[in-house]
């Protein structure tokens, strides 16, 4: 966090809008008995609402399905299907039901829809000749009664194993709300676990250090300036050993509340603010998740309350502060640890001059030889000084251990050694370190006014490469004249692109487009000959896979359908 002198800190803490955050509805205001269980089995959770995930808070409940697919998924209440989504990533196969009480239920990672819904979505896929699709039926097309079977559970999209992802949203705002508030909570007698306590010097020092330190339960610290606090914790519900998220965190200084976090409700536009609510650098370096019990100026998420000075404790010389951190689950089980901070005199130190100051609540621009960057307003969580250097044809922009809330515009002038005819194949590459290893992201890149333009969401080391490499197509169970039957009727491929990424995939049997289902997490493309009603006899298959730079791979073969 940026070092801020006490006078400026006081100005910020009294002027930002966090003290005027809108009150979230109380849990008791939500209807407790309006909905039924979406499955016919006892619910055990692999993930809960607000659980910490990469770049987002989890928006619902991950309900275990006994490590298998195919369980009946039922509508939790009366209503109508308002959205059907099919995607190789994210929620995979998903259904959204709008209910007359103003809420929407969401069912994701489904294996397949009920026959009527499946026929509807299949028709749309064929009309648009695409596997990935989203449709919004009219309210009269799919009226639903509580208990109707709408799908079978599965593992589609970005799922890490068979389960049902279930959400309750506000229909008007589409904001996900903790399903526990609607009566989907479980028997829970287990206290949350606290794995670590931390102190963060905002300015000044703690135990003579100016960076985060680990604090022992019952420990005594010596500090000056201002401190924020953090806690590493998780929760488990009965019947499951998964490490889930905390429902509420309270921090007290001398028994006075200075910070409360509650996993209650948020918008998807706010969810990326997990990177400012947790210690982002620790996540990226060590895959360690610490809730930071203080709120940065530009953090927009509405999960905080009881804030005093945004959770930052200003230390006075000679005074002592008892810090108590309490973590609580929805059932009311809680764990508490505490420590003492003894204040000492703060000695202001000289501050290095800023070269590229960035303000969180303003638009910011940066320009240097060969590069131009536009940062929209409110994409940063705090003010900072942007570091930049150019070395070995690479632009080092900012600190890749610093989080950013939204994308920005990065424009790089291509170097003279890139032929003009190859510019349409150029992509911007972002390099960064994660858990001690260098990683690469290949950004969607356009050529605009002679510059290569991308919209990254993170800082890093940026350079240009030319992508002339076609995607790869690897048949898994077919070769020329392979035979398929009713019991063995799925042709499978692995498709992959090393650089710019797969843009589209199209399969044709005897010259006619057929549906090919894609599971991106395992790079699996499948054609179900039985579903496609391919007749008995000899056929020709053509598969085309195109990447983001229009490099196209084509695979052709013949096969025989024998039954």
């Amino acid at each position: 966090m940026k070092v801020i002198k006490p006078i400026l800190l006081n100005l910020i803490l009294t002027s930002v809008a966090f003290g005027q955050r809108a009150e979230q509805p109380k849990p008791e205001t939500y209807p407790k008995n309006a909905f039924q269980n979406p499955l016919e089995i006892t619910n055990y959770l692999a993930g809960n609402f607000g659980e910490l995930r990469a770049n987002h808070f989890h928006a619902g409940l991950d309900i275990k399905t006994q490590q298998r697919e195919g369980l009946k998924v039922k509508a939790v209440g009366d209503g109508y299907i308002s959205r059907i989504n099919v995607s190789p990533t994210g929620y995979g196969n998903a259904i959204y039901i709008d209910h007359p009480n103003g809420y929407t239920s969401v069912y994701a990672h489904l294996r397949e829809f009920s026959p009527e819904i499946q026929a509807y979505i299949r028709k749309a896929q064929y009309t648009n000749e695409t596997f990935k699709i989203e449709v919004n039926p009219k309210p009269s097309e799919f009226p639903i009664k509580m208990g109707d079977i709408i799908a079978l559970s599965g593992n589609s999209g970005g799922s890490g194993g068979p389960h049902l992802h279930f959400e309750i949203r506000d229909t008007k705002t589409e904001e996900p709300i903790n399903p526990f508030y609607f009566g989907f909570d479980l028997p829970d007698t287990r206290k949350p676990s606290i794995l670590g306590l931390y102190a963060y010097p905002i300015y000044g020092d703690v135990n003579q250090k100016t960076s985060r330190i680990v604090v022992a339960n019952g420990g005594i610290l010596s500090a000056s300036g201002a401190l924020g606090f953090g806690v590493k914790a998780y929760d488990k519900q009965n019947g499951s050993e998964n490490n889930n998220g905390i429902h509420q965190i309270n921090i007290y200084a001398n028994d006075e509340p200075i910070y409360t976090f509650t996993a209650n409700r948020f918008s998807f536009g706010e969810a990326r603010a997990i990177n400012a609510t947790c210690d982002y650098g620790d996540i990226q370096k060590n895959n360690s998740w610490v809730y930071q019990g203080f709120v940065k100026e530009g953090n927009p998420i509405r999960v905080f309350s009881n804030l005093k000075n945004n959770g930052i404790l200003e230390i006075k010389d000679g005074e002592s502060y008892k810090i108590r951190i309490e973590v609580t689950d929805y059932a009311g089980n809680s764990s508490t640890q505490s420590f003492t901070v003894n204040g000492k005199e703060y000695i202001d130190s000289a501050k290095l001059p800023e070269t590229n100051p960035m303000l969180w609540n303003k638009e910011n621009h940066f320009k240097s030889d060969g590069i131009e960057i536009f940062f929209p307003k409110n994409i940063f969580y705090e003010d900072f000084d942007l570091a930049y250097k150019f070395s070995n044809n690479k632009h080092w922009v900012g600190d890749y251990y610093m989080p950013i809330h939204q994308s920005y515009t990065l424009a790089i002038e291509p170097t003279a050694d890139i032929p003009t005819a190859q510019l349409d194949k150029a992509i911007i590459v972002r390099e960064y370190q994660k858990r001690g290893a260098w990683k690469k992201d290949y950004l969607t890149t356009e050529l605009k006014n002679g510059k290569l333009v991308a919209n990254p969401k993170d800082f890093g080391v940026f350079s240009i490469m030319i992508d002339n490499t076609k995607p790869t197509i690897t048949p898994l169970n077919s070769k020329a004249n392979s035979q398929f039957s009713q019991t063995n009727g799925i042709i499978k491929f692995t498709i992959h692109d090393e650089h710019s990424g797969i843009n589209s995939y199209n399969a044709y049997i005897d010259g006619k487009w057929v549906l090919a289902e894609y599971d991106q997490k395992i790079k699996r493309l499948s054609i179900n000959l039985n579903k496609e009603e391919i007749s008995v006899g000899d056929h020709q298959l053509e598969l085309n896979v195109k990447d983001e730079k229009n490099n196209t791979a084509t695979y052709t073969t013949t096969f025989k359908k024998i039954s």
Side-chain angles (χ1 to χ4, degrees), residues 263-278:
N264 48 15
R265 174 176 179 152
F266 54 81
S267 74
F268 286 102
E270 296 169 347
R272 190 174 167 88
I274 187 174
N275 294 331
T277 308
C278 296

Side-chain angles (χ1 to χ4, degrees), residues 276-304:
T277 308
C278 296
D279 190 329
Y280 184 73
D282 201 14
I283 296 169
Q284 297 300 303
K285 295 174 185 176
N286 305 307
N287 196 30
S288 173
W289 295 78
V290 175
Y291 294 88
Q292 289 183 324
F294 52 95
V295 183
K296 296 180 180 180
E297 301 97 310
N299 188 340
I301 196 165
R302 296 161 296 157
V303 294
F304 307 115

Side-chain angles (χ1 to χ4, degrees), residues 13 70 130 239 250 262 334 357 397 411-412 459 465 501 505 509 513 520 546:
L13 295 177
T130 179
N250 286 287
T262 307
S334 65
V397 179
I412 299 179
F459 289 134
M465 71 162 289
Y505 34 87
I509 293 179
W513 187 89
Q520 183 169 300
K546 183 186 296 186

Side-chain angles (χ1 to χ4, degrees), residues 377-526:
K377 181 180 178 180
N378 295 333
I379 75 163
F380 301 129
Y381 298 114
E382 57 192 331
D383 298 343
F384 69 102
D385 190 36
L386 180 71
Y388 172 79
K389 70 175 182 179
F390 181 72
S391 176
N392 296 324
N393 279 333
K394 295 183 178 182
H395 300 269
W396 295 66
V397 179
D399 177 1
Y400 40 71
Y401 293 134
M402 176 183 174
I404 303 174
H405 192 64
Q406 297 174 4
S407 60
Y408 57 95
T409 301
L410 173 77
I412 299 179
E413 293 180 8
T415 53
D417 60 334
I418 300 177
T420 302
Q422 288 285 291
L423 286 178
D424 63 334
K425 299 290 187 181
I427 55 176
I428 294 176
V429 181
R430 171 182 170 259
E431 297 177 74
Y432 58 100
Q433 279 194 306
K434 187 172 184 177
R435 298 171 204 165
W438 281 96
K439 308 284 186 180
K440 288 184 179 181
D441 289 340
Y442 300 91
L443 307 181
T444 300
T445 305
E446 294 183 81
L447 182 64
K448 294 181 179 179
N449 301 320
K451 295 181 180 180
L452 296 167
V453 180
N455 297 104
K457 285 187 175 182
D458 300 277
F459 289 134
V461 184
F462 298 93
S463 58
I464 297 171
M465 71 162 289
I466 303 300
D467 182 9
N468 284 316
T469 305
K470 296 179 180 180
T472 58
I473 301 174
T474 305
L476 298 178
N477 65 341
S478 66
K479 56 184 179 181
N481 299 316
S482 292
Q483 294 184 348
F484 296 91
S485 65
Q486 285 288 334
T487 57
N488 176 32
I490 302 178
I491 304 179
K492 302 175 183 178
F493 302 88
T494 295
I495 63 174
H496 176 63
D497 188 72
E498 186 67 27
H499 298 125
S500 59
I502 290 173
N503 173 272
S504 64
Y505 34 87
N506 288 286
Y508 302 87
I509 293 179
D510 303 328
K512 295 182 179 180
W513 187 89
V514 295
L515 182 65
E517 301 182 9
Y518 184 41
D519 187 340
Q520 183 169 300
K521 64 179 174 287
I522 58 173
K523 303 179 176 64
R524 179 71 51 79
L525 192 74
S526 303

Side-chain angles (χ1 to χ4, degrees), residues 87-234:
S87 173
T89 60
Y91 282 17
N93 299 329
I95 288 177
Y96 301 71
I97 299 177
D98 286 3
H99 303 282
N101 59 5
Y103 299 103
T104 297
S105 55
V106 182
Y107 316 76
H109 304 311
L110 306 169
R111 187 178 78 185
E112 57 191 276
F113 306 119
S114 66
E116 184 181 11
I117 301 170
Q118 196 73 44
Y120 180 91
I121 201 72
R122 177 182 172 84
K123 181 179 179 181
Q125 289 171 316
Y126 266 85
T127 298
N128 294 277
E129 294 193 351
T130 179
F131 167 66
K132 182 179 180 180
I133 196 166
E134 182 177 294
V135 294
N136 299 95
K138 298 175 182 177
S140 60
E141 289 186 276
F142 288 106
I144 293 294
K145 290 294 185 182
M146 179 186 290
D148 284 352
I149 298 172
I150 57 173
L152 298 179
S153 67
N155 187 34
S156 59
S159 171
H163 73 281
L164 174 66
H165 175 87
F166 174 74
E167 295 178 17
I168 297 289
R169 298 184 184 179
D170 182 306
T171 300
K172 288 183 179 179
T173 65
E174 293 196 49
E175 294 176 354
I177 305 165
N178 194 330
F180 283 175
Y181 296 170
F182 295 84
F184 291 99
D185 51 310
L186 310 172
D188 185 1
T189 58
R190 308 173 74 173
K191 292 183 178 182
S193 298
I194 297 178
L195 280 70
L197 303 175
Y198 303 86
Y200 291 81
I202 308 303
Y203 66 87
D205 71 280
V206 56
N207 287 0
Q208 299 182 334
K209 293 187 177 181
T210 56
S211 58
R212 185 188 86 171
I213 69 164
V214 179
V215 182
N217 183 28
I220 300 175
L221 310 180
S222 174
S224 69
L227 289 184
F229 306 101
V231 58
K232 186 174 184 177
Y234 64 81

